[in-house]
Amino acid sequence: MNYANFPLDKRKPLPSSDPVSADDFIDVERLLGMAARQAKVVAACAAIGLFLGVLYLQTTPPTYMATSRVLIDEGLNKVVDEVSAASVSMQTDSAILSQIEILHSARLAAVVVDKQKLDQNDAFMDPPTSAVSKAAGFVRGVVRYFRPNPAVGTADVTQLDPATRDAMIASSRRDYAILKLQDEVQAERIGRSYVISIAYQATDPALATAVTKAYADAYLADQLDASFDATERAAVWLQGRLTELRESSQAAALAVEKFRAEHGLAVDDGQLISDKQLSDLNGQLIEAQADTARASARYQQYKSIVESGSDNAFRDAAISADQPSNSIISTLKTRYLTVAKRQQDIEANFGAEHPQAVALAKERADISAQIFGELKQLTESYRNEYEVALARETALRANVALAAGKSSIDNQSQVKLRELEQKATALSTLYQTFLGRYEEASQQQSFPVGKIRVISDATLPKSAATPRTSIVLGLSLVLGVMLGAGVGGLNEFRERFFRTGEDVRDRVGLKFLGYLPIIGSKVAKDDKRDDGQADIKTAPSPSAAERRARMRVSIDAPASMFSETLRSAKIAFDVVMEGQGSRVIGVISVLPGEGKSTVAANLAGLLAANGSKTLLVDGDLRNPGLSRSLGMEAEQGLMEAVVSGQTWQSVGKIDRQTKLAIVPAVPRGHFSHTSELLSSAGMRRFIDNAKETFQYIVVDLPPLGPVVDAKAFAPLADGFVLVTEWGRTPRAMVQSILSSESYIANKIVGVVLNKVDLKKLAKYGSIGGSEKFFDRYSSYYLEKSEARTKVNS
């Protein structure tokens, strides 16, 4: 097979080093795999967390908490509120928060410190602390030592007299105790109720109980004192105001009376005298007007009767029947009618000339004249009455006009009077109000009742409040697990190596040929790094026997997993190179120490053991690790054959057991032109000569990373087997080199993962992947062969 079978224009591009599938945005299977791989790390961190938790419990002194609860009860102060001038309504959250701030105040803390003498109590001033607190204090001390903060303006206490110095120390201790108690006491509202919880925590349960009780008592006393002080201050202020208000009220009342007297604003039954006089005159005027009208009507009536003549007087005289003189006129009219009737009768019987008829006519005329005279006299009387009524009306009208003018002047003065009266009334009302409040405040001073009562008194705590064993251990375990998860996540983030065949296919797009397990007990057990792989830099050099045994694993243990993977590689390049007579296979790696020489030797040995004519060539002329591992001591090797034009027979050796032909590499000092040698015409003649005899020519080539020898040999190779160390070789590096060396990448038949830790491999396999079932494959690998592999290693 030649390079023409791998055209560059048809080569598929390599996939990205970290492909992300849109369908696997949250890969639960991958997350579970990560968890399984990092389970030991998480368990170790959890154990460390538990250990630290136990250590904390052992080094932390227990503290005890005493709790008292007080209720802000409005009902206790109802009696006082009924007479109080300034009742406080505790209906808002801000009022409850204000009470909590009172509990945290320095004044209340000072009362408790003085009552309990806490500044002289060593259990309060210097309680035992935990190891963590001591360490933190030590660190703060070191920081202060290196970063001093000198005080400014402080006096040297050593220069003071002992009494003053002791007083200053005692004052400082008291101030410190107050600040410490303020910081340590706990006061909080219970839910949405009016209950406030007061708690204090100390290493001595008796001290915690005593301080809590003292705080509750001090709070109750403070409420009573505050109520009494407020009432007393209100009473003193009200007393001063009463004196001012009394004087002001009296002055205002005096001003009202003085103004009324100056302006003649006398009052009768609540009404000004001028207004009352005007009202009376108006009534009299109305009555006089009525009398005048009535008198005028009578006068005009009788005047018209008189003016009508004496003939009509008798007829019109009837209208005066209701008047005082009607008796005389009525008598005369009766006589007149009687005479007139007798005259009629006589004239009817004797004629008008009859003397008696003439006498009766004369008598009738006399009576008519008397009636007319009475009417004239009555008319004159009515005229006099009319004139008197009219004069009275005129006089009353003048008096009303005079009284109205005076009333207008009084009304204008009354506006100012009303203003003075309103001021006097307001001052009098205010004085009465303040007088009542002063009496109420005076009564309240002798009846102090607070709105606070204790509903739950502090009792001696039976168990420690902190540290809580279950909480500390649980939190330690959780923090340990979280730390382990973080470390495990960091390990997974740093995971940039090949672990499974799926990684090979997805990351570099090459065929995966199989896993090659770790061989050699020292490397597998003693020389592993943290990730389970041998560290070439730190591992001691294996013995010559062990190196030779590694090169013959496929021969000594043909039924092992190692051999099965090499058989898979053989099948792969047999399929790819089908139809070719002789096949040149290059074994390459990216980095040194990945085990390519071991793979090349075992692959060639497997092919030879199967009866195929095989030639193994050590093509790493700069570092012939294959030749050293096989223990071949030769004077001539590949370099001499290529340079001198010799054939493989002149420099090769034959393995007696497998008939494997081996061409070693003999180093000749520092030779840097190995790439020209591998791509020379002499190398081509050497390969062409070997093809005439062998079916397989396996060439162990230098790594791709440090030198270009493999690239120089690529035109002579029919295919490459890429050896990558499991968990050591970075995926990005492999992809980068293969992308840059596309000439070689197109000839790579497949990739084998070498130095695989089969016990850890299952953790990296996906659910359902073959990596999960390697333990079931063990029945297909002969135990005898595996035992031989272990012995040889």
Side-chain angles (χ1 to χ4, degrees):
M1 183 177 183
N2 53 33
Y3 188 71
N5 294 330
F6 300 93
L8 290 176
D9 57 346
K10 293 184 180 181
R11 183 176 64 86
K12 295 181 180 179
L14 295 175
S16 64
S17 59
D18 293 307
V20 178
S21 175
D23 297 335
D24 296 333
F25 182 72
I26 298 178
D27 194 341
V28 177
E29 180 178 329
R30 185 180 178 186
L31 293 177
L32 292 176
M34 292 180 181
R37 290 191 292 272
Q38 303 299 327
K40 290 184 178 180
V41 175
V42 175
C45 291
I48 293 173
L50 284 176
F51 172 75
L52 294 177
V54 172
L55 183 62
Y56 175 78
L57 291 173
Q58 295 298 322
T59 58
T60 302
T63 58
Y64 300 86
M65 178 180 289
T67 304
S68 180
R69 293 185 178 184
V70 296
L71 171 65
I72 303 175
D73 192 353
E74 294 284 336
L76 290 177
N77 214 21
K78 286 183 178 178
V79 178
V80 178
D81 285 343
E82 292 176 356
V83 297
S84 175
S87 63
V88 181
S89 178
M90 307 295 292
Q91 298 295 329
T92 59
D93 292 341
S94 59
I96 302 294
L97 295 176
S98 299
Q99 296 300 315
I100 293 176
E101 290 302 319
I102 292 175
L103 286 168
H104 285 292
S105 65
R107 183 166 60 88
L108 206 61
V111 172
V112 177
V113 168
D114 294 339
K115 182 179 180 181
Q116 297 294 320
K117 298 181 179 179
L118 297 179
D119 54 337
Q120 303 174 16
N121 192 329
D122 293 336
F124 174 80
M125 298 295 290
D126 190 18
T129 58
S130 64
V132 176
S133 300
K134 292 179 180 177
F138 176 77
V139 172
R140 286 194 296 269
V142 171
V143 172
R144 283 195 296 267
Y145 177 79
F146 287 103
R147 297 179 61 184
N149 190 14
V152 179
T154 58
D156 188 0
V157 296
T158 59
Q159 299 178 359
L160 301 175
D161 60 277
T164 305
R165 183 171 62 251
D166 294 342
M168 291 183 62
I169 293 174
S171 177
S172 300
R173 285 180 61 87
R174 181 176 180 273
D175 293 340
Y176 173 75
I178 293 173
L179 293 175
K180 186 174 184 295
L181 185 59
Q182 272 188 276
D183 184 63
E184 293 178 353
V185 72
Q186 301 176 22
E188 60 182 8
R189 184 181 183 182
I190 305 299
R192 302 294 297 175
S193 66
Y194 290 97
V195 178
I196 298 178
S197 173
I198 305 173
Y200 181 74
Q201 191 170 339
T203 55
D204 184 4
L207 176 62
T209 305
V211 170
T212 305
K213 286 184 177 180
Y215 238 101
D217 294 340
Y219 181 48
L220 295 180
D222 180 76
Q223 291 293 315
L224 292 175
D225 292 342
S227 177
F228 180 81
D229 293 342
T231 306
E232 185 178 17
R233 287 193 298 269
V236 172
W237 181 82
L238 286 172
Q239 187 175 13
R241 287 290 296 157
L242 280 174
T243 303
E244 297 176 5
L245 289 174
R246 182 171 58 250
E247 294 175 355
S248 299
S249 177
Q250 292 175 354
L254 184 61
V256 170
E257 297 302 328
K258 185 177 180 180
F259 183 84
R260 182 180 283 118
E262 289 176 354
H263 292 79
L265 300 176
V267 177
D268 185 12
D269 294 334
Q271 187 178 10
L272 291 175
I273 292 178
S274 60
D275 289 345
K276 189 174 183 180
Q277 289 177 349
L278 179 61
S279 177
D280 292 342
L281 288 174
N282 281 328
Q284 293 177 12
L285 177 60
I286 292 171
E287 184 178 355
Q289 288 175 345
D291 293 343
T292 302
R294 190 166 44 252
S296 176
R298 281 197 300 265
Y299 170 69
Q300 293 298 331
Q301 181 183 9
Y302 279 90
K303 182 180 179 183
S304 62
I305 292 173
V306 172
E307 289 178 354
S308 63
S310 60
D311 294 336
N312 296 323
F314 176 78
R315 293 190 301 273
D316 295 335
I319 64 174
S320 62
D322 58 343
Q323 300 302 323
S325 311
N326 61 353
S327 59
I328 298 175
I329 295 176
S330 298
T331 301
L332 291 175
K333 286 180 69 175
T334 301
R335 288 180 60 193
Y336 180 86
L337 291 174
T338 302
V339 172
K341 184 178 180 182
R342 288 179 64 189
Q343 182 183 1
Q344 260 181 340
D345 291 342
I346 293 174
E347 286 181 354
N349 294 321
F350 301 106
E353 297 298 331
H354 190 278
Q356 190 174 359
V358 173
L360 291 173
K362 185 178 178 181
E363 184 179 0
R364 191 177 67 175
D366 290 338
I367 294 172
S368 175
Q370 291 179 4
I371 292 173
F372 183 74
E374 289 292 333
L375 288 175
K376 288 176 62 177
Q377 185 178 357
L378 188 59
T379 300
E380 187 65 23
S381 175
Y382 284 154
R383 185 183 66 81
N384 292 333
E385 289 182 3
Y386 167 70
E387 290 178 354
V388 170
L390 182 61
R392 181 172 176 269
E393 178 185 353
T394 301
L396 287 174
R397 195 179 298 278
N399 291 335
V400 167
L402 181 61
K406 188 176 185 304
S407 177
S408 176
I409 295 173
D410 291 345
N411 287 335
Q412 293 177 6
S413 300
Q414 195 174 11
V415 173
K416 179 63 175 178
L417 178 63
R418 289 195 187 96
E419 181 181 353
L420 294 175
E421 286 177 343
Q422 289 174 357
K423 181 179 180 180
T425 302
L427 289 173
S428 177
T429 303
L430 187 60
Y431 173 74
Q432 295 297 328
T433 302
F434 271 73
L435 181 61
R437 290 189 176 182
Y438 172 73
E439 295 296 333
E440 293 168 0
S442 299
Q443 294 296 326
Q444 191 174 355
Q445 284 183 353
S446 60
F447 188 53
V449 176
K451 297 183 179 181
I452 307 298
R453 65 187 177 96
V454 178
I455 62 174
S456 178
D457 204 356
T459 58
L460 190 68
K462 302 298 182 182
S463 59
T466 58
R468 296 286 184 87
T469 302
S470 57
I471 295 178
V472 170
L473 293 181
L475 183 61
S476 300
L477 179 61
V478 171
L479 293 178
V481 171
M482 293 176 62
L483 177 62
V487 174
L490 181 61
N491 290 338
E492 290 294 331
F493 178 77
R494 295 172 56 192
E495 179 62 48
R496 294 292 187 268
F497 315 109
F498 291 102
R499 294 290 186 178
T500 64
E502 185 178 358
D503 290 342
V504 174
R505 290 186 290 268
D506 293 341
R507 308 296 179 176
V508 295
L510 296 176
K511 181 178 178 60
F512 177 64
L513 301 179
Y515 300 101
L516 295 175
I518 298 175
I519 56 176
S521 58
K522 288 185 179 180
V523 175
K525 297 180 181 179
D526 300 331
D527 303 329
K528 291 184 181 179
R529 304 175 312 178
D530 292 340
D531 57 0
Q533 297 303 310
D535 193 335
I536 298 174
K537 294 182 179 180
T538 59
S541 300
S543 63
E546 183 180 351
R547 290 198 299 268
R548 286 193 297 270
R550 290 179 181 177
M551 299 297 175
R552 299 178 58 86
V553 172
S554 62
I555 300 171
D556 297 334
S560 64
M561 181 180 178
F562 193 93
S563 301
E564 287 297 323
T565 299
L566 295 180
R567 290 190 183 94
S568 175
K570 174 184 179 301
I571 294 172
F573 55 70
D574 280 349
V575 172
V576 174
M577 304 172 190
E578 184 179 2
Q580 288 188 219
S582 180
R583 300 159 186 177
V584 180
I585 303 169
V587 180
I588 57 176
S589 66
V590 173
L591 296 173
E594 295 190 78
K596 62 175 182 56
S597 299
T598 303
V599 174
N602 282 278
L603 177 60
L606 178 68
L607 295 172
N610 289 339
S612 301
K613 293 182 178 181
T614 305
L615 174 63
L616 175 61
V617 179
D618 188 354
D620 192 350
L621 300 178
R622 301 192 189 191
N623 184 23
L626 175 63
S627 301
R628 287 195 299 267
S629 298
L630 291 175
M632 300 182 67
E633 297 179 359
E635 295 296 331
Q636 294 182 341
L638 179 62
M639 184 181 298
E640 289 74 16
V642 173
V643 173
S644 303
Q646 302 179 27
T647 61
W648 68 271
Q649 292 90 345
S650 59
V651 294
K653 295 185 177 182
I654 304 297
D655 182 82
R656 292 191 299 270
Q657 181 180 355
T658 61
K659 307 304 180 182
L660 173 65
I662 304 173
V663 176
V666 179
R668 300 294 183 184
H670 182 71
F671 183 71
S672 60
H673 302 288
T674 54
S675 58
E676 287 82 353
L677 184 64
L678 292 175
S679 61
S680 63
M683 187 66 187
R684 181 176 294 276
R685 286 194 300 271
F686 178 82
I687 294 299
D688 291 339
N689 177 262
K691 285 183 177 182
E692 296 176 356
T693 306
F694 299 102
Q695 294 176 282
Y696 297 98
I697 302 173
V698 179
V699 183
D700 178 24
L701 294 171
L704 296 175
V707 293
V708 298
D709 292 11
K711 183 178 180 180
F713 183 78
L716 303 179
D718 296 319
F720 292 100
V721 174
L722 177 62
V723 178
T724 301
E725 186 173 352
W726 186 82
R728 277 287 308 273
T729 306
R731 296 190 298 258
M733 184 176 185
V734 174
Q735 185 185 31
S736 175
I737 290 178
L738 293 182
S739 298
S740 61
E741 303 293 345
S742 58
Y743 193 74
I744 295 177
N746 287 324
K747 285 191 173 186
I748 295 177
V749 177
V751 178
V752 293
L753 292 180
N754 193 25
K755 302 181 183 180
V756 178
D757 187 342
L758 297 179
K759 293 182 179 180
K760 293 184 177 180
L761 178 61
K763 296 179 181 180
Y764 293 92
S766 60
I767 297 177
S770 61
E771 294 84 3
K772 297 286 187 181
F773 303 97
F774 276 139
D775 56 341
R776 299 190 183 184
Y777 299 163
S778 60
S779 60
Y780 287 89
Y781 305 136
L782 295 180
E783 296 180 0
K784 182 177 180 180
S785 298
E786 291 181 353
R788 188 185 305 171
T789 301
K790 293 180 181 179
V791 171
N792 293 334
S793 64

